[in-house]
């Protein structure tokens, strides 16, 4: 399995969950420190883990990284496109550079990695792709229009690819996390592919009442741990989901019921 964004947050949680279930994983990230942290946290499971530096927004980096991962694994059965960034700002203050960077990493990055991996997936065993959309793709998240646009695009691409490759037996699904703690939501991401939201100083926090989780969390927390998503990703990428394709799973504690 190849997992992008595997150096922090939900991507790292996916790597560790899949290793714990006996899978072999190549974790890809732009951050050497992030990948080193993933290796350290893998501990004795690290024998089944390899890493590769990859900037998902750069075509050459993706081409080289996917080739290296495929060679390391001896093929490819599952791809998890978890790499992403989040920028938040008022519309009037959103620069074209920031808007384009979000699209470059989240949307174009998902396209580049999937395109690079599709030949290997054709030869894989029960091949599957798990993309990362977001609850913001279908529900209002203030100050995050660029992010919402990118994740809406990922959702649409997932459906298109699911139909295109159905007869080839390659499954495409996506997860839609909401209210999940990660490098993107808490600003601790180690690389530009995991950047915090940086809400405007005058943000109206009352607007976020619409996205608060309904399920209670320990200690009154408002964000669930990344493992809430990792378990779903592991299932969608495994044979357990052999009859699931072209859909999305919302993981938000009931925020958008």
């Amino acid at each position: 399995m190849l997992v992008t964004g595997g150096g922090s947050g939900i991507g790292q949680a996916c790597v560790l969950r899949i290793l714990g279930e006996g899978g072999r994983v190549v974790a890809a990230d732009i951050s050497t420190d992030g990948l080193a942290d993933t290796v350290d946290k893998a501990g004795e499971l690290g024998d089944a883990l390899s890493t590769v530096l990859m900037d998902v927004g750069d075509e050459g980096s993706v081409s080289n990284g996917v080739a290296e991962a495929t060679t390391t694994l001896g093929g490819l059965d599952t791809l998890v496109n978890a790499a992403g960034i989040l920028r938040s700002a008022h519309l009037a203050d959103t620069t074209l550079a920031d808007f384009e960077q979000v699209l470059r990493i989240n949307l174009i990055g998902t396209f580049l990695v999937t395109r690079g991996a599709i030949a290997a997936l054709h030869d894989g065993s029960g091949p599957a792709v798990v993309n990362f959309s977001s609850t913001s793709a279908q529900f209002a998240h203030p100050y995050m229009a660029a992010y919402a646009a990118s994740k809406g695009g990922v959702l649409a691409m997932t459906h298109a690819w699911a139909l295109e490759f159905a007869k080839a037996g390659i499954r495409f699904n996506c997860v839609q996390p909401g209210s999940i703690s990660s490098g993107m939501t808490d600003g601790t991401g180690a690389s530009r592919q995991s950047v915090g939201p940086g809400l405007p100083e005058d943000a109206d926090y009352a607007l976020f009442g619409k996205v608060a989780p309904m399920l209670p969390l320990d200690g009154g927390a408002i964000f669930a741990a990344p493992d809430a998503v990792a378990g779903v990703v592991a299932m969608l990428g495994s044979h357990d989901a052999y009859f699931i394709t072209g859909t999305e799973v919302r993981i938000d504690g009931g925020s958008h019921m």
Side-chain angles (χ1 to χ4, degrees):
M1 180 178 293
L2 170 60
V3 180
T4 70
S8 66
I10 301 174
Q12 183 182 77
C14 291
V15 171
L16 299 177
R17 174 60 183 260
I18 294 157
L19 289 173
E21 295 191 5
R24 293 179 61 213
V25 182
V26 172
D29 203 279
I30 198 172
S31 169
T32 54
D33 289 342
L35 290 173
D37 182 58
T38 300
V39 171
D40 182 62
K41 288 178 178 175
E44 62 184 21
L45 298 175
D47 289 345
L49 172 63
S50 299
T51 63
V52 60
L53 283 174
M54 183 192 298
D55 178 352
V56 300
D58 181 88
E59 188 171 14
S61 179
V62 168
S63 179
N64 292 334
V66 170
E68 181 177 341
T70 302
T71 298
T72 298
L73 294 168
L76 186 63
D77 298 330
T78 305
L79 168 64
V80 177
N81 284 305
I85 64 171
L86 172 60
R87 304 286 196 193
S88 303
H90 290 290
L91 172 59
D93 298 327
T94 302
T95 67
L96 178 59
D98 279 349
F99 197 96
E100 288 181 336
Q101 186 187 29
V102 172
L103 293 180
R104 186 76 191 179
I105 301 302
N106 297 356
L107 181 60
I108 296 176
T110 297
F111 156 71
L112 288 174
V113 178
T114 305
R115 187 186 66 176
I118 197 66
L121 288 166
H122 268 290
D123 296 327
S125 175
V129 177
V130 184
N131 290 328
F132 270 63
S133 180
S134 164
T135 52
S136 67
Q138 294 169 297
F139 301 95
H141 288 202
Y143 316 115
M144 302 179 189
Y147 184 74
S150 70
K151 294 303 186 177
V154 169
L155 177 63
M157 288 197 308
T158 300
H159 281 257
W161 288 334
L163 184 57
E164 180 177 349
F165 294 100
K167 290 184 178 179
I170 306 175
R171 296 181 295 102
F172 284 83
N173 295 292
C174 65
V175 290
Q176 293 186 307
S179 299
I180 304 294
S181 177
S182 71
M184 288 198 301
T185 58
D186 61 23
T188 61
S191 76
R192 73 175 178 84
Q193 290 180 196
S194 184
V195 178
L199 290 174
E201 291 184 4
D202 62 344
D204 183 355
Y205 284 88
L207 299 176
F208 290 90
K210 296 179 64 176
V211 299
M214 296 295 102
L215 290 176
L217 294 168
D218 291 342
I222 60 172
F223 291 121
D227 62 2
V229 180
V232 178
V233 171
M235 183 276 292
L236 289 174
S238 75
H239 184 68
D240 287 344
Y242 72 94
F243 205 54
I244 303 174
T245 194
T247 193
E248 53 279 350
V249 180
R250 201 161 67 233
I251 310 163
D252 65 354
S255 300
H256 302 93
M257 287 190 286

